Amino acid sequence: RITMPSSSEDHKLRVNFSNRDLLCVNGCGFYGTPQWENRCSKCWQLLQNTQKRNDDYLKNKMAFRQFEERRKLSTESRSLTIKNLLKKSPSLVASQGPDGTSSSASPHVSSSSAFHSSASAGQLGGGSSSPVSRPRTRQRSPESQMARDDLSSFLSRNAPPTIAATISKSLSQLTVNIYEPRMGAEDLSAAVQAYYSQLDAYLNSQTVFIQNKLSIRAGDVMEAVERYLCTACYQRLFWADSDEEVADLSLQERIRSLHWVTFGFLETRLDLTKEQARNRLDEAINEMIDINSHRRVEEKLQCLLRCSHKIFDSLRESAAPTSADEFLPALIYVLLKGNPPLIQSNINFISRFALPSRTMSGEPAYFFTNVSGALHYVQNINHESLKMSKDDFESYTSGELAPPLNKGTCGCNQALSSMESSLARMTKLIAEQKQLATRIDEFERQVSQEETSLCDRIRDLISSFPSPEWIGLRDKVARAEAAANDACSLNSTSSSARVSTDSSESSAPKQPVDLLQ
Amino acid sequence: MDLSGAGTSNDEFKFKVVLLGEGAVGKSSLMLRYVQGQFNPRHISTIQASFLSKQLVVDGADIDLSIWDTAGQEKYHALGPIYYRGSQGALLVYDVTDAKSFDKVKMWVKELRRALGDDVVLFIVGNKVDLAESRTVDSEMAKQFASSVDARYEETSAKENIGVENLFDLMCSAMVTRARAGPSSRGPSANGGRGPARRIRIVDEPTTGRKCC
């Protein structure tokens, strides 16, 4: 024990401690230190390990229990133990509706009644909206937090405080209901849609909205709320049913096995031999795959809209009509070809949690309907809908038989198309090479022509402006020739002598070179 | 802001009209002729011709009309309900030179009346009347059939621009009349944007009841 003497006249710290105090509290005989809670290094390490093990065990146990609970709920096994567990759980008791009605009977009713009470009394049933009462305490993801902030800033900026407060209170009640583990996908959808219609009725009953006194319309508020719900509760809403994930995977598997249908069985007038048409289709496929990367319904629908427009572009490139008769098969083609991940869950998500106006009117709604239809068609595709024999259909689907090749097929086969483009490039190159060769020939001919004409000119110039050296040489040559001629004239005619003089003159430019050497 | 603005001082309506009928009877051409005022034998236009919307004023009501084209091929017939649900009007188009396409219209009438009840305004449209010499569907017969199923009958030619404008005007005023008659007669389906009927059932898998206890 460290003691500080109160009387310190000598200005010296006198520290008194016994040897026993320095030893490890475990009594192992080693010295301990205060940082390690008076333990020696070895005992401290041991303690740490046991504590960690305990913590891990508890954590795992919690996680396992949650997993078990979810699994059991999702498989709908309502064993007595689970029932008891649910009954005992304080969170579920606390999440009963504010008016005392049990929320277990019909979850969406409780949400709507909560809205009523909040709209009339202006405040919501006590502690039920506090985070403690949630069945499972959630950690808010950054996205959720951002969505929350967005909504609250939107409301505080644009709406009167009373309306903003009512909305946020009713929303937090809805969130509590959403996170109840018993809620299935359809229940959630009913709850959210009921909330939308309650909110719609509430907003349209407010004088500020009736008289258009605000900078925003009631519809804008509805959209903001939808945005918040889709972003903040995405994980919960999107994965409402574990069966759906499996269904989506099996759909993807099915689409993969139906890949051959894109080989000319859809009777589209898409001209896949045209590169532009193919490129537009690829872009459409990208857009469709992109749907899954957005949380908000609005953004998902925008992807769909862009995808559809790309398909129309492709039809236009193929010189096909842009009517629904052509669009739907093309869309089915894109669906089969792209095999977008989780497409069904995304479509379900939109139809369940979007504002009714989104899926009922406007261009996005039309294309959404088309995608739903295309999906429906793909799911029910069979030999009858493709007008072929059952055996053929099955052997193509199982991969036993390869579908016959045709022009369209070649167009969509990447290896073949790249070969085709290489071939085209080769032909082009060969043509270019030929052209180059003729140009080279032409050039060579020109060069030799120039050469001769240059030689001629030089010769002319030399003969017309002879240098003294040249004249001397020429005279020398002439003399030598004359001598030779004299010698020759003895046994040849004068005419032949003249010819030889001519020839010697014509070869004159060469001779100086020889002589100079 | 909602599907039907009935009740407000200046009437505003959002109408959805579906075009149904066999392939190549001229559904898209009718639509293009109406919205764009043009006809193209292969209708390759700069705009897409399967969804079009138009704002117009009919009988003192502001109308936001959207026209939904559908694929007419037989193999897509089963997708019909996905398209026509929640619509206020349907144009059932057939080709006057093709008796088979008229049979298809009869099928659609039956189905629509069953699915949407009497709330939906039905127009039976005989298109391609410019091809009078090869006509096979009698005008009187079609008219009789239409009145027997509480539908209106009109004849058009998208190519020669005969009766197209008139057709859509009649359609709109009929829908306005129907909407003004009040939601009481409109039944749940017209206003049921939020009911369970609103959602598309894509899969026919059995819904697992998830209600507790």
Side-chain angles (χ1 to χ4, degrees):
Chain A
R1 207 132 295 141
I2 300 162
T3 53
M4 281 251 275
S6 53
S7 58
S8 50
E9 305 130 305
D10 48 0
H11 298 288
K12 257 190 179 173
L13 276 172
R14 275 202 298 140
V15 185
N16 294 328
F17 46 79
S18 66
N19 196 36
R20 198 169 54 86
D21 288 332
L22 286 175
L23 287 175
C24 171
V25 290
N26 266 12
C28 58
F30 289 96
Y31 287 106
T33 59
Q35 294 100 305
W36 293 339
E37 292 170 11
N38 294 325
R39 282 174 172 82
C40 72
S41 63
K42 204 156 185 176
C43 290
W44 172 246
Q45 213 165 13
L46 261 170
L47 182 78
Q48 288 282 295
N49 282 345
T50 23
Q51 267 178 357
K52 191 167 182 297
R53 217 175 303 141
N54 279 344
D55 283 352
D56 286 351
Y57 171 68
L58 283 175
K59 240 187 265 171
N60 285 340
K61 205 168 132 190
M62 281 280 285
F64 183 69
R65 200 156 47 195
Q66 283 182 0
F67 166 72
E68 278 276 285
E69 200 177 311
R70 201 185 296 208
R71 195 176 64 91
K72 279 192 178 151
L73 283 168
S74 70
T75 48
E76 294 285 319
S77 75
R78 291 158 186 271
S79 66
L80 197 69
T81 41
I82 288 292
K83 249 187 206 171
N84 285 341
L85 200 107
L86 287 172
K87 270 181 196 154
K88 276 177 196 158
S89 162
S91 59
L92 288 166
V93 178
S95 72
Q96 278 185 348
D99 43 7
T101 56
S102 168
S103 61
S104 58
S106 172
H108 67 270
V109 170
S110 106
S111 96
S112 55
S113 67
F115 194 86
H116 269 312
S117 77
S118 73
S120 54
Q123 62 156 14
L124 220 84
S128 62
S129 59
S130 73
V132 189
S133 71
R134 285 182 193 166
R136 219 168 287 130
T137 41
R138 294 174 297 122
Q139 202 79 50
R140 268 191 210 115
S141 68
E143 286 93 347
S144 306
Q145 191 55 50
M146 220 148 83
R148 217 180 168 75
D149 296 346
D150 279 352
L151 181 72
S152 54
S153 75
F154 171 82
L155 288 175
S156 63
R157 220 173 34 243
N158 297 305
T162 52
I163 292 180
T166 311
I167 291 173
S168 67
K169 268 178 190 160
S170 61
L171 258 181
S172 64
Q173 174 62 36
L174 177 69
T175 321
V176 172
N177 283 326
I178 283 176
Y179 275 89
E180 276 198 33
R182 280 164 300 164
M183 297 277 272
E186 292 305 317
D187 299 333
L188 284 172
S189 171
V192 170
Q193 292 298 335
Y195 178 77
Y196 284 152
S197 73
Q198 293 280 339
L199 183 62
D200 191 32
Y202 166 71
L203 290 176
N204 283 315
S205 69
Q206 297 295 305
T207 42
V208 281
F209 283 111
I210 294 172
Q211 293 167 4
N212 268 332
K213 279 188 176 163
L214 298 175
S215 55
I216 50 162
R217 295 172 306 114
D220 297 328
V221 179
M222 297 290 290
E223 278 177 21
V225 168
E226 180 206 51
R227 205 152 49 221
Y228 165 74
L229 276 176
C230 291
T231 320
C233 308
Y234 189 72
Q235 300 293 342
R236 170 66 180 141
L237 296 181
F238 194 81
W239 299 112
D241 269 333
S242 55
D243 304 347
E244 287 187 355
E245 192 183 354
V246 179
D248 239 322
L249 287 175
S250 68
L251 174 70
Q252 210 159 9
E253 199 66 36
R254 177 165 173 76
I255 290 180
R256 201 170 298 143
S257 72
L258 286 171
H259 182 71
W260 56 271
V261 177
T262 58
F263 293 175
F265 288 96
L266 285 171
E267 294 167 353
T268 67
R269 279 157 76 176
L270 288 168
D271 187 355
L272 294 166
T273 53
K274 280 188 184 155
E275 200 188 348
Q276 282 301 313
R278 272 206 311 272
N279 289 346
R280 291 294 93 72
L281 268 191
D282 285 345
E283 287 165 22
I285 288 170
N286 283 341
E287 290 290 354
M288 192 176 266
I289 291 171
D290 202 33
I291 292 172
N292 194 40
S293 63
H294 296 282
R295 282 192 171 197
R296 282 154 50 183
V297 167
E298 205 180 342
E299 291 169 325
K300 285 180 194 285
L301 286 174
Q302 284 302 319
C303 285
L304 219 53
L305 194 65
R306 284 196 295 272
C307 168
S308 304
H309 286 165
K310 294 286 182 201
I311 293 175
F312 280 116
D313 286 345
S314 181
L315 283 171
R316 217 163 288 139
E317 295 287 349
S318 313
T322 53
S323 67
D325 286 352
E326 289 305 319
F327 174 70
L328 189 61
L331 186 66
I332 293 168
Y333 178 91
V334 166
L335 200 60
L336 287 176
K337 193 89 182 149
N339 202 354
L342 300 172
I343 185 70
Q344 196 185 316
S345 295
N346 276 294
I347 296 296
N348 284 343
F349 180 78
I350 295 172
S351 66
R352 280 175 189 150
F353 303 113
L355 290 172
S357 58
R358 282 200 204 286
T359 49
M360 289 305 287
S361 60
E363 205 177 358
Y366 177 71
F367 291 124
F368 173 68
T369 306
N370 269 299
V371 173
S372 309
L375 207 57
H376 191 272
Y377 181 79
V378 168
Q379 274 162 342
N380 297 305
I381 218 164
N382 58 24
H383 61 280
E384 278 166 23
S385 59
L386 293 171
K387 290 186 196 129
M388 59 195 297
S389 80
K390 202 176 175 197
D391 292 343
D392 277 357
F393 181 84
E394 274 166 8
S395 49
Y396 288 155
T397 308
S398 62
E400 261 172 49
L401 266 180
L405 285 172
N406 59 31
K407 210 175 170 203
T409 317
C410 296
C412 50
N413 187 320
Q414 251 179 356
L416 284 177
S417 75
S418 81
M419 252 158 72
E420 243 170 38
S421 69
S422 303
L423 203 65
R425 214 177 309 155
M426 288 291 273
T427 329
K428 206 174 130 203
L429 280 176
I430 288 170
E432 271 176 17
Q433 202 180 17
K434 260 187 196 157
Q435 222 175 7
L436 198 67
T438 45
R439 277 187 62 196
I440 287 171
D441 287 348
E442 171 77 9
F443 189 65
E444 272 176 351
R445 206 172 51 76
Q446 222 175 326
V447 164
S448 67
Q449 225 170 31
E450 297 261 317
E451 197 185 340
T452 31
S453 70
L454 196 69
C455 287
D456 288 348
R457 273 194 68 197
I458 287 174
R459 205 164 39 226
D460 288 352
L461 279 172
I462 287 175
S463 53
S464 33
F465 305 104
S467 66
E469 224 176 296
W470 162 243
I471 293 167
L473 276 172
R474 195 180 56 182
D475 290 349
K476 204 170 159 189
V477 171
R479 270 199 301 277
E481 270 182 1
N485 276 347
D486 285 345
C488 286
S489 63
L490 294 175
N491 45 10
S492 70
T493 59
S494 60
S495 61
S496 70
R498 211 178 298 133
V499 170
S500 78
T501 325
D502 282 349
S503 68
S504 74
E505 246 175 58
S506 69
S507 61
K510 276 182 192 162
Q511 254 166 329
V513 184
D514 294 340
L515 287 164
L516 281 170
Q517 280 171 349
Chain B
M1 61 149 284
D2 216 302
L3 285 178
S4 58
T8 50
S9 51
N10 56 328
D11 283 349
E12 279 177 42
F13 295 109
K14 265 189 179 175
F15 289 139
K16 169 182 159 188
V17 172
V18 277
L19 283 162
L20 297 166
E22 201 164 279
V25 293
K27 297 186 296 293
S28 308
S29 301
L30 269 178
M31 193 160 147
L32 266 184
R33 169 59 88 184
Y34 176 59
V35 179
Q36 295 276 302
Q38 62 184 22
F39 180 84
N40 185 329
R42 296 166 68 200
H43 53 77
I44 302 158
S45 71
T46 48
I47 56 151
Q48 48 92 1
S50 60
F51 171 88
L52 294 172
S53 65
K54 193 165 176 164
Q55 327 291 324
L56 58 163
V57 180
V58 176
D59 301 341
D62 292 332
I63 293 176
D64 182 352
L65 178 70
S66 32
I67 311 170
W68 291 31
D69 193 5
T70 62
Q73 294 93 318
E74 181 55 40
K75 56 181 168 180
Y76 304 125
H77 184 93
L79 306 181
I82 296 174
Y83 287 92
Y84 61 63
R85 79 201 167 92
S87 57
Q88 285 77 35
L91 293 174
L92 308 168
V93 189
Y94 74 94
D95 179 348
V96 294
T97 66
D98 179 5
K100 219 175 87 240
S101 69
F102 188 71
D103 292 340
K104 181 94 182 191
V105 163
K106 287 180 177 169
M107 255 169 80
W108 278 120
V109 169
K110 237 172 148 183
E111 189 177 334
L112 284 172
R113 282 288 177 229
R114 201 177 51 230
L116 301 176
D118 294 333
D119 299 317
V120 65
V121 176
L122 294 187
F123 268 68
I124 293 171
V125 182
N127 193 31
K128 306 193 185 177
V129 288
D130 54 298
L131 303 171
E133 68 280 0
S134 47
R135 184 169 185 138
T136 56
V137 183
D138 182 49
S139 174
E140 274 309 311
M141 191 268 285
K143 215 173 276 179
Q144 265 174 20
F145 171 74
S147 63
S148 74
V149 292
D150 187 25
R152 305 274 290 268
Y153 177 74
E154 288 297 323
E155 290 192 344
T156 57
S157 163
K159 190 179 175 189
E160 302 296 333
N161 198 9
I162 302 169
V164 178
E165 191 92 29
N166 185 41
L167 166 71
F168 282 93
D169 285 350
L170 285 173
M171 180 103 211
C172 286
S173 60
M175 285 190 295
V176 168
T177 317
R178 190 69 57 101
R180 278 181 177 153
S184 54
S185 73
R186 293 175 66 192
S189 59
N191 207 17
R194 300 173 196 113
R198 190 198 60 82
R199 290 193 300 280
I200 307 166
R201 287 234 60 89
I202 293 170
V203 240
D204 299 322
E205 62 187 0
T207 45
T208 45
R210 214 163 273 266
K211 302 280 183 289
C212 184
C213 310

